[in-house]
Amino acid sequence: MAEDVRGNLEIENRGAVLVARIDGGPLGLFGNDIAEQLDVLVDRADRDPDVHAVVFTGTHPERFVSHAEVRWLQEGGAKVPSVGVKGASALARTARGVNRTGGMQSLLGKTPLWPAVQLERVHQTFLKMNQSGVIFVAALNGSALGLGAEFSWANDLRVMADGDFFIGQPEVLLGIMPGGGGTQRLTRLIGTHRSLVAILEGKPFSPAEALAIGAVDDVVPQDQVLARAMELAEHFGSRTKGSIASIKRAVYFGGSMSLSDGLHVERAEFLTTALSKVGQELMLDYMANSEASGELPLYIPGVYDEVLQTGTTRGAGTTTTSGSEKKQ
Amino acid sequence: MAEDVRGNLEIENRGAVLVARIDGGPLGLFGNDIAEQLDVLVDRADRDPDVHAVVFTGTHPERFVSHAEVRWLQEGGAKVPSVGVKGASALARTARGVNRTGGMQSLLGKTPLWPAVQLERVHQTFLKMNQSGVIFVAALNGSALGLGAEFSWANDLRVMADGDFFIGQPEVLLGIMPGGGGTQRLTRLIGTHRSLVAILEGKPFSPAEALAIGAVDDVVPQDQVLARAMELAEHFGSRTKGSIASIKRAVYFGGSMSLSDGLHVERAEFLTTALSKVGQELMLDYMANSEASGELPLYIPGVYDEVLQTGTTRGAGTTTTSGSEKKQ
Amino acid sequence: MAEDVRGNLEIENRGAVLVARIDGGPLGLFGNDIAEQLDVLVDRADRDPDVHAVVFTGTHPERFVSHAEVRWLQEGGAKVPSVGVKGASALARTARGVNRTGGMQSLLGKTPLWPAVQLERVHQTFLKMNQSGVIFVAALNGSALGLGAEFSWANDLRVMADGDFFIGQPEVLLGIMPGGGGTQRLTRLIGTHRSLVAILEGKPFSPAEALAIGAVDDVVPQDQVLARAMELAEHFGSRTKGSIASIKRAVYFGGSMSLSDGLHVERAEFLTTALSKVGQELMLDYMANSEASGELPLYIPGVYDEVLQTGTTRGAGTTTTSGSEKKQ
């Protein structure tokens, strides 16, 4: 059966942007092979100061990711007696512990706990994407259901192909529910009620619907999806990587906490950036340019638009942009 | 005075759906009689595997629920010296404790603590609606203010009659504030700022306004409200009850926590459904059908639309849908 | 350099509404002078039972607040070695402690901790605005970036001048990030994803964009901004101050917690208002008027609209509104 095809993530280096092509075999499935390669890629991109963005797209002609390998989800469960929500909660906690103490993983292969451990690892990979200074863009060349949709929600931006495609969470129709973050990230992306209704019904969004409610950021013809995603990756990736990381953590994590707790996260992240070398340099540069011209650079006509293109205020508002004029 | 009319909840059994008609007397008020009957109904619907949805509507010709019996809210408070927010918080906590140890309730009747205890019980009933595998639909045959609106927000779906009706929270105009969950559920339904402004002003929404901001799901002529609500109740109620319950808990509760905590709720609920008998059956059935046809059932043209109607992937994508072909 | 101009907050008393004009010098900057005067004003307005609203506007012809004094943010950081996010988190916590034990502040001036302490104080002032029974309205006579935008988000309502103005968070372009609550309040105002994208890009909103996404409540010609803001201040300020305070706390703070925790905040705040003198009076008055007419006042044609104008149900639905007919 096609589900046994080994999944693969092909990575192409395009300067500051990596393009990762998801090859889930002829059926376009997301299984543990892809999950493991994704985890390695996220770590690599996060650590490498020269990588500012990653664009994901599918190799299937009409699908980004069909959905998860169903056997992956089903197999372990078959060996375990049905547990209540408290038992499942304990199982999920144990799985988290196992992942933290890496050495135990080989011992657990093929035990009933195994799928819970793998599920937990996918969650950790997606969380690392949310914490990272890398901009992740899903270039949805076609449809994405289940874990394919959840992986899309874990990206920072989404571009979707126009046409007879769909994106959503059909799990309720299989007697289960989203397990890769769908109930949490879709809820925070499009609001509690829209998310609840979509997940309870199991009905996916068309590209136009997804765009209207903000589930995707742009819809373009299929042959322009990758180019548009690259454009966004380069544009957002041109900002300081440390700022991007701090902003993502403050919004994704702080923004989901109580207002008081979220503000504390912001203060800590703000101080990290304000005390950083690049933050100090750019603030001093901005003040010097302001003093030289007598006006705040961002309020000089035309300057803000330029700065949005370059991604930095370095040298902004000086009459000449030659190196000798700038404070580095 | 009309407020003394005993409220009643008339229940009609329509197969998988119960219709509950709220009779709040000639003035259409929601008092403690209705609250107690509602609590019994929610428990019954939750436990009965044959009940998948409950539709609520009002018996008043122009109102769903006018608002709470004001005497109910006022009476106890008159006997208590004004307390600060810390005192009120302690009172609310004590009330929760009293409800957990049921025996004390009869002792407390007519004491100053009594209204706080009853308020706490309404909160618990509404929370049980949010935790349940039952789909609750408010068939708003007319207006709903105060507790009537709050009860509507505690439902999963809302259908409202077109016409000169309104729904909202007028409490600020009486020098009080919403106390049945309005500041929390409306905020999560339509967003922080819209909710804040509406509650600070005390101005209700017209049916058209409510629809535009997502406070209700559909607006139809008054004589079609019940039929439309039944349609939604049957459609959403056709999904597996265990999945519905897990999804509602993950979205309503997990979705309001920090992202990390919410993801843990999702993992626990997901494992509960993935390890359930019906979840295992449907996943095995889906894999078998996929293997038989060489294609993922949800990607076979026409199949997804059928599945959305029946509410399950059981037998989906097989050439014949006769019983012998299906894995039960 | 112009950044050295001492900022000032000019306060004009217009009955129940105070108008505060922000004078940030020729460059319209928000520095520590303004922050300290703002804190005093917020406390005064909160305590004075005759003050129901405060309207803020800028004295600069085209700007509300340009942004923070950059030197303020930069200066202290220059003396501190770069710290990781854990170090910054510890710094932020220490700053909070210092603010609570006021006496230490004079000792810390010009030490590396000083900017963190001042930042923490701005956060506390903004939080006091969110907890207060006063309605705060930003009358945006022009642009607002950075801390100017963050101060706007800390208000309850925003009116913006139409024209070539902008409001937003450009910090990422200076290698830093919003530090005055922008990542938290904008996220809760316009939703996680819109906020994330705007802050990652550093691109501000035009008045029309801000209105479309709910970042401002109204856009009017520049010469009508103050009048429109006064109108909103008087309208919302006509409600009971205690109700306003409780509603704001329930929505801003409870609404950002888990549903269960938020409901507890609501119950405590509700009891505070229900047991208050004015709450008791208005509920008794409403019941008496209901009994006299045989109908609930809010359901008598025309009455609700009147009540929305006066801000109270006192005497509502009685045939005459002369004092002798009303229960005070």
Side-chain angles (χ1 to χ4, degrees), chain C residues 159-183:
Chain C
V159 178
M160 190 169 181
D162 203 1
D164 195 17
F165 305 121
F166 41 82
I167 182 168
Q169 309 284 161
E171 292 86 347
V172 69
L173 304 166
L174 281 89
I176 56 173
M177 62 169 279
T183 64

Side-chain angles (χ1 to χ4, degrees), chain A residues 181 183 188 193 201-202 256, chain B residues 217 235 239 257 259 266 304:
Chain A
T183 64
R188 288 164 177 80
H193 190 61
E201 188 172 15
S256 68
Chain B
D217 297 283
H235 181 67
R239 277 71 180 148
M257 296 176 186
L259 178 58
E266 184 191 272
Y304 205 147

Side-chain angles (χ1 to χ4, degrees), chain A residues 295-309:
Chain A
E295 177 57 287
L296 305 170
L298 289 175
Y299 285 87
I300 299 174
V303 168
Y304 206 147
D305 284 345
E306 275 173 42
V307 166
L308 285 169
Q309 291 315 308

Side-chain angles (χ1 to χ4, degrees), chain C residues 118-149:
Chain C
Q118 292 188 324
L119 173 69
E120 170 67 28
R121 290 170 68 188
V122 173
H123 272 274
Q124 294 307 321
T125 303
F126 288 0
L127 281 169
K128 282 193 282 189
M129 292 170 67
N130 292 156
Q131 288 157 349
S132 167
V134 175
I135 298 286
F136 294 99
V137 187
L140 291 145
N141 57 298
S143 296
L145 292 178
L147 189 56

Side-chain angles (χ1 to χ4, degrees), chain C residues 78-123:
Chain C
K79 300 170 191 155
V80 187
S82 184
V83 298
V85 71
K86 286 195 179 169
S89 182
L91 203 56
R93 283 189 197 281
T94 306
R96 197 188 309 180
V98 168
N99 272 301
R100 287 193 179 140
T101 58
M104 287 178 68
Q105 289 177 19
S106 56
L107 295 177
L108 280 162
K110 304 298 166 195
T111 72
L113 194 54
W114 190 229
V117 171
Q118 292 188 324
L119 173 69
E120 170 67 28
R121 290 170 68 188
V122 173
H123 272 274

Side-chain angles (χ1 to χ4, degrees), chain B:
Chain B
M1 187 197 168
E3 287 213 1
D4 297 326
V5 171
R6 193 178 158 79
N8 190 39
L9 213 53
E10 302 161 24
I11 299 166
E12 180 196 349
N13 194 329
R14 294 200 190 178
V17 182
L18 302 180
V19 176
R21 289 184 175 77
I22 307 165
D23 179 0
L27 292 185
L29 294 167
F30 192 117
N32 196 50
D33 292 331
I34 289 173
E36 288 184 352
Q37 293 174 53
L38 175 64
D39 192 70
V40 171
L41 171 61
V42 168
D43 284 344
R44 169 187 157 190
D46 192 49
R47 272 196 307 262
D48 187 339
D50 295 334
V51 174
H52 289 260
V54 177
V55 172
F56 295 101
T57 195
T59 59
H60 191 286
E62 300 199 310
R63 305 179 197 168
F64 177 67
V65 168
S66 298
H67 52 56
E69 281 184 29
V70 177
R71 180 172 302 173
W72 190 27
L73 306 178
Q74 180 275 326
E75 218 170 38
K79 299 170 193 157
V80 186
S82 183
V83 297
V85 72
K86 284 195 180 170
S89 182
L91 204 56
R93 282 188 198 280
T94 306
R96 197 188 309 178
V98 169
N99 273 302
R100 286 192 179 141
T101 60
M104 287 178 68
Q105 289 176 17
S106 56
L107 295 177
L108 279 163
K110 303 297 165 195
T111 72
L113 193 55
W114 191 228
V117 171
Q118 292 188 325
L119 173 67
E120 169 67 27
R121 290 171 68 189
V122 173
H123 271 274
Q124 294 307 321
T125 304
F126 289 180
L127 281 169
K128 282 193 282 189
M129 292 171 67
N130 292 157
Q131 287 157 350
S132 168
V134 175
I135 297 286
F136 294 99
V137 187
L140 292 147
N141 57 297
S143 295
L145 292 178
L147 190 56
E150 292 172 298
F151 174 52
S152 302
W153 316 140
N155 278 262
D156 302 306
L157 296 164
R158 286 153 290 278
V159 178
M160 189 168 182
D162 202 2
D164 195 17
F165 306 121
F166 41 83
I167 182 168
Q169 310 284 161
E171 293 85 349
V172 70
L173 303 165
L174 281 91
I176 54 174
M177 62 169 279
T183 64
Q184 303 306 303
R185 288 196 181 84
L186 184 60
T187 295
R188 288 164 177 80
L189 187 60
I190 65 171
T192 303
H193 190 61
R194 274 199 186 111
S195 174
L196 177 78
V197 171
I199 297 172
L200 285 178
E201 187 172 15
K203 189 178 176 186
F205 305 114
S206 69
E209 288 167 344
L211 184 64
I213 61 175
V216 302
D217 297 283
D218 206 356
V219 171
V220 299
Q222 195 191 37
D223 61 4
Q224 296 168 31
V225 167
L226 185 58
R228 176 66 180 132
M230 282 296 299
E231 202 173 82
L232 289 172
E234 284 165 358
H235 181 67
F236 283 85
S238 69
R239 277 71 180 148
T240 304
K241 201 168 174 176
S243 289
I244 296 287
S246 284
I247 290 167
K248 284 175 58 173
R249 290 191 290 247
V251 174
Y252 283 130
F253 297 92
S256 68
M257 296 176 186
S258 74
L259 178 58
S260 312
D261 287 351
L263 287 168
H264 184 71
V265 171
E266 184 191 272
R267 282 193 294 268
E269 295 290 351
F270 169 76
L271 285 173
T272 304
T273 61
L275 304 180
S276 72
K277 190 163 170 290
V278 62
Q280 282 288 317
E281 276 176 11
L282 286 172
M283 287 191 283
L284 287 168
D285 175 70
Y286 188 89
M287 288 160 65
N289 298 335
S290 176
E291 194 152 4
S293 71
E295 177 57 285
L296 305 170
L298 290 175
Y299 285 86
I300 299 173
V303 168
Y304 205 147
D305 284 343
E306 276 174 40
V307 166
L308 285 169
Q309 292 313 308
T310 60
T312 167
T313 53
R314 199 182 296 279
T318 54
T319 46
T320 165
T321 56
S322 69
S324 60
E325 292 286 304
K326 293 190 244 171
K327 298 205 171 193
Q328 286 283 348

